[in-house]
């Protein structure tokens, strides 16, 4: 997960970590641990995050290494 991209989206939408945690149904401490990479977001939480923060392409944030593989230009 790219926590910096997720934080950037939170800032873009004017939402605090506390507001986002409440919106997806987790504690502030749990949200903090997930943003620090100590815990992973559950699929249901990712879905709620995408809806709440208007994230159109979740793989950029939640699967960054896969995103890089899929978006690599083909070498001839």
């Amino acid at each position: 997960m790219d926590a910096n991209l997720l934080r950037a989206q939170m800032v873009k939408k004017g939402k605090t970590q506390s507001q986002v945690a409440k919106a997806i149904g987790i504690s502030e401490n749990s949200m903090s641990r997930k943003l620090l990479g100590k815990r992973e977001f559950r699929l249901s939480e990712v879905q709620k995050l995408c809806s709440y923060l208007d994230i159109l392409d979740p793989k950029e944030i939640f699967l960054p290494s896969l995103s890089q593989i899929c978006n690599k230009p083909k070498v001839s």
Side-chain angles (χ1 to χ4, degrees):
M1 179 192 68
D2 189 330
N4 288 331
L5 283 178
L6 182 54
R7 284 187 184 98
Q9 188 67 16
M10 290 165 58
V11 169
K12 181 179 174 183
K13 294 296 178 179
K15 303 297 182 185
T16 66
Q17 186 172 307
S18 175
Q19 290 170 317
V20 173
K22 186 175 181 178
I24 67 170
I26 62 175
S27 71
E28 290 181 50
N29 285 336
S30 183
M31 183 72 177
S32 178
R33 286 190 297 273
K34 290 173 191 242
L35 287 172
L36 291 171
K38 295 180 179 182
R39 299 280 187 268
E40 293 184 7
F41 285 99
R42 295 178 180 195
L43 180 57
S44 61
E45 294 165 347
V46 170
Q47 290 170 326
K48 290 174 187 176
L49 281 168
C50 290
S51 177
Y52 186 66
L53 297 174
D54 298 322
I55 297 170
L56 302 177
D57 190 2
K59 72 179 180 239
E60 289 181 1
I61 295 172
F62 298 100
L63 301 171
S65 58
L66 178 61
S67 233
Q68 291 169 359
I69 291 169
C70 293
N71 293 327
K72 270 190 172 178
K74 292 184 180 180
V75 178
S76 301

